Amino acid sequence: NAGVTQTPKFRILKIGQSMTLQCTQDMNHNYMYWYRQDPGMGLKLIYYSVGAGITDKGEVPNGYNVSRSTTEDFPLRLELAAPSQTSVYFCATKQSYEQYFGPGTRLTVT
Amino acid sequence: AQSVAQPEDQVNVAEGNPLTVKCTYSVSGNPYLFWYVQYPNRGLQFLLKYITGDNLVKGSYGFEAEFNKSQTSFHLKKPSALVSDSALYFCAVRDAGNFNKFYFGSGTKLNVKP
């Protein structure tokens, strides 16, 4: 089992560019999450999904979009990148109360 | 609103000594509390949870946590620290109104010196 995989590991974007952060899981978990981690700030929830076709906003959804067409995949879309979106992004799944995190994507917007 | 606070940015302890990483919470209703650990350049890993029952919960790697309702605290403990325990530790709480959402603390860096 690969668990939760995220691509790319690193990315540098110019202001105004768009990109999609990929997240895939092979654990057949219904719940999936996107968080961002800023230094000294802990994790903030961006979006989450309780199953294929169902998504909802977290604490900090502005500037992001998600879709969940399959149980396995939960991509995060940045449409117009801004420096404030420089962060480390983590995807996670949840089974019962426990969350399983991917290795993260480090994104820099300049 | 739900939240957790980790009052210490960093905790330093000598190997073999007991360690405590502090967490306080604010939540309406019964709290569902969690501890996660993050090693460098890795995602978070689940350590333990408090749902109900005994105030002392045991988790992975010899860690335990003590739930104290009167002090609204959920401190992480280990009787004897290892150098390999050095990492970033996060406390988290489940949203009382939306069970699908979780709130994380700002993290505490644990340094265990040989």
Side-chain angles (χ1 to χ4, degrees):
Chain A
N1 275 357
V4 181
T5 57
Q6 293 183 239
T7 56
K9 285 185 167 47
F10 304 94
R11 183 74 185 267
I12 299 174
L13 277 184
K14 293 190 187 310
I15 295 171
Q17 286 185 322
S18 301
M19 77 164 294
T20 298
L21 282 65
Q22 301 291 347
C23 175
T24 300
Q25 56 116 348
D26 63 358
M27 297 179 287
N28 202 34
H29 291 168
N30 285 323
Y31 294 83
M32 294 189 75
Y33 298 80
W34 274 106
Y35 293 92
R36 57 177 289 172
Q37 183 181 28
D38 300 318
M41 298 294 290
L43 276 72
K44 300 291 185 186
L45 180 63
I46 305 172
Y47 271 95
Y48 67 96
S49 169
V50 300
I54 306 169
T55 63
D56 207 348
K57 296 178 180 178
E59 289 179 273
V60 290
N62 291 344
Y64 307 95
N65 278 300
V66 293
S67 59
R68 183 95 182 272
S69 56
T70 66
T71 299
E72 293 76 23
D73 299 304
F74 189 41
L76 178 71
R77 178 83 179 160
L78 283 71
E79 290 294 347
L80 291 169
S84 61
Q85 293 177 305
T86 293
S87 189
V88 181
Y89 291 84
F90 288 101
C91 179
T93 68
K94 184 174 75 74
Q95 169 105 345
S96 184
Y97 300 104
E98 182 175 342
Q99 294 186 64
Y100 300 81
F101 286 80
T105 294
R106 186 174 295 273
L107 176 67
T108 302
V109 182
T110 61
Chain B
Q2 284 72 211
S3 66
V4 289
Q6 295 181 241
E8 302 157 316
D9 290 335
Q10 187 167 294
V11 169
N12 299 311
V13 65
E15 188 174 32
N17 283 0
L19 69 88
T20 299
V21 182
K22 295 180 180 177
C23 173
T24 58
Y25 66 89
S26 173
V27 64
S28 54
N30 294 323
Y32 285 51
L33 297 158
F34 308 85
W35 276 102
Y36 285 81
V37 60
Q38 184 182 31
Y39 297 101
N41 301 313
R42 303 287 295 275
L44 280 68
Q45 297 176 35
F46 174 82
L47 275 181
L48 53 78
K49 67 180 183 292
Y50 173 82
I51 305 299
T52 187
D54 288 342
N55 290 339
L56 187 66
V57 293
K58 295 189 183 299
S60 307
Y61 313 121
F63 283 93
E64 55 192 27
E66 186 171 11
F67 172 70
N68 187 315
K69 188 172 183 177
S70 62
Q71 297 185 7
T72 61
S73 66
F74 187 55
H75 299 333
L76 182 69
K77 299 173 186 276
K78 189 173 183 182
S80 178
L82 299 172
V83 172
S84 56
D85 292 331
S86 298
L88 195 54
Y89 291 81
F90 290 94
C91 182
V93 66
R94 192 182 76 171
D95 191 310
N98 182 335
F99 292 169
N100 299 315
K101 297 169 81 167
F102 296 81
Y103 299 93
F104 285 78
S106 55
T108 298
K109 187 176 181 190
L110 175 65
N111 296 312
V112 182
K113 298 289 171 61

